[in-house]
Amino acid sequence: MLVILGFAMILVFMTLIMTKRLSPILALILVPTIFGLFAGAGLGIGDMVMDAIASMSSTAALLLFAIIYFGIMIDVGLFDKLVEFILKVAGNDPVRVVLGTALLTGAVSLDGDGSTTFIVVTAAMLPIYQRLEMSPVVLTCVAGLINGTLNIVPWGGPTARASSALQIDANAIFVPMVPSLVAGLLVCLVFAYVLGISERRRLTKNGVAWVEDRKSNRRKDLVGAVAGATSSTGTAASSSATTGSSATTSGHGAVNSGAASANDDTATEAGPGNADDATDTSGSGTGLSNTALDPNRATLRPKLFWFNLALTVAVMVLLIVDILPLPYLFMIGTVIALMVNFPKMKDQQEELASHATAIISVVAMVMAAGVLTGIMSGTGMVDAMAEWLVEVIPNSMGPYMAVITGLLSIPMTFFMSNDAFYFGILPVLAETASHFGISAADMARASITGQPVHMQSPLVPAILLLVSLSGVELGDHHKKVLWRALIVALVMLAVGVAIGVIGIG
């Protein structure tokens, strides 16, 4: 019964958020509560949820203050020069911008921390997407794919967990998987290129014309949606709020104020044969004068550019060195940024208020995710589902246990934490596989191939940060990224089998 309820709960949850019958926050709270009561949780359901939420409090604090800090930095103009530089390098071609997003994500992802990666990528690239009127869903899709694929590096969470659980050296797991990693990244780049082509076609279809000066690679003209749109800013912002968008108020650099949200009813199709890529533009129908990129915005602090740059570099260095807890680090950084850039209390209050929507959205999402994880663990659904999966695998499939483990890692790491999978399920699967001559190393390598899909899970705080900073609905992100992430994961598994590092007994 617990197995049936567990899988049914997951199916209902995904259906509701992808069809937009419920917002992710409501679905994360309502669906597990109903199924938890059916599972016999009774009055103990409250303790299950509160235990899970308590374990997520530090994550919520990190996301809260990280959003405020980088929102301040964007408001005061720290990233304006970086935007101009990237525009000169990438030009005005959406294809090059999307590929640039992929390369930047890959470079930053090498630190092994998803939250850091998404903070840097959205801070650098989202204003460019807004300026070129590209869809922010493309940014989240590409960033999520690249980061998920690179999540198998030895200093990343999954490989370290598999190493600990099976008592194998992490390099013995990772090094043989390098060809699989390269193959996965190449597939990601292909997807990025195709998404860039789709964006170029959509912008052209919508009457957004680009004239490129090949010598200077600078934007020369923009016609169509931008023209005369200033008057529509308030209406678009109101529409975003009423449709459940996570778009923030004016001043938040992570969201185009007044722009149609990623789930706005005014979304336009990408063109024949590109239904999957049908999204609206962040900024479509709005003028640049009312966005976070407004060169005349009141929050600009050009005289403090070098101070803000030094402060941000210091925060990034301390983040990588890891000598302070990340939530506390961003708390301190936020306080300093507010005091220096906005010395008057009234201005500080206004600046904090301008980011209130994004803060509420992401923190509420993290707390709501605690309901799902708490009930699944507390009722025993996770354990029951894992035991059932192990039991239903027939002995005749024993020689293929590594491949089966790779396939199981795709959905299981999406719907449960890496800890639950690598410490609870992988050892059982590995012990079973050992009777068929399959080594623990092969099982460990297979188990990490599901990470491109895992990183898109609503249980992963980093992905909640990415969609919140980008002003994208989680359901919109899932519709665009999940099938692509599945293909990347399958390619990595297939290459591992083909080159013999994921063996068949």
Side-chain angles (χ1 to χ4, degrees):
M1 180 59 69
L2 287 176
V3 174
I4 295 173
L5 287 174
F7 283 113
M9 180 176 71
I10 290 168
L11 178 62
V12 171
F13 168 74
M14 292 302 298
T15 300
L16 288 174
I17 67 168
M18 293 188 72
T19 59
K20 297 183 182 178
R21 301 297 177 88
L22 284 180
S23 70
I25 292 176
L26 295 182
L28 281 167
I29 297 172
L30 184 61
V31 174
T33 298
I34 293 174
F35 278 88
L37 293 174
F38 274 112
L43 295 179
I45 195 170
D47 292 334
M48 298 176 191
V49 171
M50 294 312 297
D51 288 342
I53 289 178
S55 68
M56 293 184 169
S57 59
S58 61
T59 298
L62 166 62
L63 301 186
L64 189 158
F65 285 98
I67 289 172
I68 296 176
Y69 180 82
F70 282 97
I72 293 171
M73 289 298 109
I74 291 172
D75 289 348
V76 299
L78 176 63
F79 299 103
D80 286 23
K81 295 183 184 297
L82 177 61
V83 170
E84 294 297 333
F85 172 76
I86 296 178
L87 279 174
K88 289 179 181 179
V89 174
N92 304 312
D93 186 358
V95 176
R96 281 183 280 175
V97 171
V98 177
L99 288 174
T101 302
L103 295 176
L104 177 61
T105 304
V108 183
S109 292
L110 291 176
D111 76 343
D113 182 72
S115 296
T116 303
T117 299
F118 295 146
I119 287 170
V120 173
V121 171
T122 52
M125 299 303 299
L126 185 63
I128 297 173
Y129 278 70
Q130 293 173 335
R131 180 169 293 187
L132 302 185
E133 301 195 41
M134 295 170 62
S135 169
V137 188
V138 174
L139 186 156
T140 65
C141 177
V142 172
L145 281 177
I146 296 289
N147 183 259
T149 304
L150 281 167
N151 203 38
I152 71 169
V153 293
W155 50 91
T159 301
R161 286 178 175 87
S163 172
S164 299
L166 301 183
Q167 297 182 346
I168 305 170
D169 181 69
N171 283 334
I173 299 173
F174 173 73
V175 174
M177 287 294 290
V178 169
S180 289
L181 175 61
V182 172
L185 290 174
L186 288 175
V187 174
C188 290
L189 290 175
V190 170
F191 280 137
Y193 177 78
V194 173
L195 285 168
I197 293 291
S198 177
E199 276 296 277
R200 181 197 288 165
R201 290 174 178 171
R202 183 182 60 77
L203 290 171
T204 301
K205 179 182 177 181
N206 290 349
V208 180
W210 306 93
V211 179
E212 182 173 344
D213 183 336
R214 295 187 179 277
K215 293 182 179 179
S216 62
N217 259 350
R218 290 180 301 192
R219 181 176 178 179
K220 303 296 290 182
D221 188 27
L222 170 64
V223 296
V226 170
T230 302
S231 61
S232 67
T233 299
T235 303
S238 174
S239 173
S240 293
T242 57
T243 55
S245 168
S246 58
T248 66
T249 56
S250 177
H252 193 326
V255 182
N256 189 356
S257 173
S261 69
N263 68 331
D264 199 312
D265 292 334
T266 61
T268 53
E269 294 293 328
N274 290 300
D276 173 72
D277 297 324
T279 57
D280 67 313
T281 61
S282 178
S284 181
T286 66
L288 296 177
S289 60
N290 287 308
T291 73
L293 299 175
D294 179 8
N296 300 312
R297 59 189 184 273
T299 57
L300 280 177
R301 300 291 187 269
K303 294 182 179 179
L304 293 172
F305 173 82
W306 292 109
F307 170 81
N308 289 319
L309 178 61
L311 177 62
T312 302
V313 170
V315 169
M316 290 292 101
V317 170
L318 290 173
L319 186 150
I320 295 171
V321 174
D322 196 21
I323 61 175
L324 286 175
L326 295 188
Y328 181 57
L329 174 61
F330 276 105
M331 287 180 186
I332 297 298
T334 299
V335 168
I336 296 174
L338 276 174
M339 291 178 63
V340 174
N341 289 282
F342 303 95
K344 296 181 180 179
M345 184 176 294
K346 180 181 178 181
D347 293 338
Q348 293 173 3
Q349 293 173 339
E350 290 177 353
E351 181 65 15
L352 289 173
S354 71
H355 305 293
T357 304
I359 295 168
I360 292 172
S361 175
V362 71
V363 173
M365 187 84 76
V366 172
M367 296 296 100
V371 178
L372 178 62
T373 57
I375 291 176
M376 285 192 72
S377 299
T379 58
M381 287 185 191
V382 169
D383 293 337
M385 293 163 67
E387 292 173 3
W388 177 80
L389 285 170
V390 173
E391 290 176 0
V392 298
I393 299 173
N395 289 333
S396 61
M397 298 297 291
Y400 303 96
M401 281 298 296
V403 176
I404 292 172
T405 297
L407 294 174
L408 288 177
S409 73
I410 296 172
M412 296 191 77
T413 58
F414 184 84
F415 293 115
M416 64 179 66
S417 68
N418 272 339
D419 285 335
F421 178 75
Y422 286 103
F423 294 117
I425 297 175
L426 180 59
V428 178
L429 294 173
E431 177 62 27
T432 304
S434 66
H435 297 294
F436 297 93
I438 300 175
S439 71
D442 285 11
M443 295 293 289
R445 293 173 197 135
S447 72
I448 62 177
T449 58
Q451 288 306 300
V453 176
H454 163 75
M455 279 303 297
Q456 319 312 320
S457 171
L459 304 180
V460 176
I463 208 67
L464 301 181
L465 178 63
L466 174 64
V467 297
S468 177
L469 288 175
S470 303
V472 170
E473 285 286 344
L474 184 62
D476 290 323
H477 173 73
H478 278 165
K479 283 192 290 187
K480 188 171 289 289
V481 78
L482 281 181
W483 69 267
R484 292 179 170 91
L486 175 61
I487 290 176
V488 174
L490 292 176
V491 166
M492 292 175 68
L493 179 61
V495 171
V497 173
I499 63 178
V501 298
I502 298 177
I504 297 176

